[in-house]
Amino acid sequence: MKTIKLYKEKVKLIFLILSTVIFFSLGYIVLNGENYSSALLGVSAASLGLSLFQIKRVCTFTKRPETYTNEQIELKDERNIMLVEKSKSCAYDIETFVILGITAYAIYSDNVGFVLAVLVLWSIRIFSFFYYFSKKNNEY
């Protein structure tokens, strides 16, 4: 069982390294000097940081397999699950006010494309809320 989960961690590492290479090559080689090149380089830098973190995790798990077991126990701990759910609900509330501010700015800026993008964002948010609400409601 441990080898299957360690295999998943290695697949995550390979995915992160590939995404770093792809974003860097798109930002530095393909779209050099255009508007989106700096954004792609920023995404590649973030992906590089995540790759380094994942390398550290995989090395630690291969050297000491008991750390992986301890991490899995901590993830399934009831107290940690409660804290994560409470944090997500607080972040959801804050995100609602931020999106409300963006909506006000979109209407104020009188940009139809921006207003439509915010409308799509609100629609996805409301749909996902009702979807997960009904999903959690069926669990309890």
Side-chain angles (χ1 to χ4, degrees), residues 29-98:
I29 298 169
V30 177
L31 298 174
N32 193 11
E34 293 188 23
N35 294 334
Y36 300 111
S37 67
S38 60
L40 290 171
L41 290 174
V43 170
S44 70
S47 182
L48 177 67
L50 289 173
S51 300
L52 293 174
F53 175 73
Q54 190 69 16
I55 287 172
K56 179 187 172 284
R57 286 187 71 203
V58 168
C59 291
T60 303
F61 293 155
T62 54
K63 288 179 184 175
R64 289 180 268 136
E66 68 273 2
T67 57
Y68 185 76
T69 307
N70 291 341
E71 183 179 298
Q72 293 303 314
I73 290 171
E74 288 178 11
L75 285 174
K76 295 176 183 174
D77 185 30
E78 293 173 0
R79 182 176 179 270
N80 286 339
I81 291 172
M82 182 189 65
L83 288 173
V84 167
E85 287 181 0
K86 182 70 175 169
S87 300
K88 285 181 182 178
S89 67
C90 291
Y92 184 86
D93 294 340
I94 292 171
E95 185 182 343
T96 301
F97 288 114
V98 169

Side-chain angles (χ1 to χ4, degrees), residues 1-16 54 57-58 61 68 72:
M1 192 70 163
K2 292 178 187 174
T3 58
I4 294 173
K5 293 184 180 182
L6 186 59
Y7 176 75
K8 288 181 182 180
E9 296 292 329
K10 289 179 181 178
V11 168
K12 284 183 199 175
L13 176 62
I14 292 170
F15 174 73
L16 284 170
Q54 190 69 16
R57 286 187 71 203
V58 168
F61 293 155
Y68 185 76
Q72 293 303 314

Side-chain angles (χ1 to χ4, degrees), residues 98-109:
V98 169
I99 292 176
L100 186 64
I102 292 172
T103 304
Y105 176 75
I107 293 170
Y108 175 74
S109 68

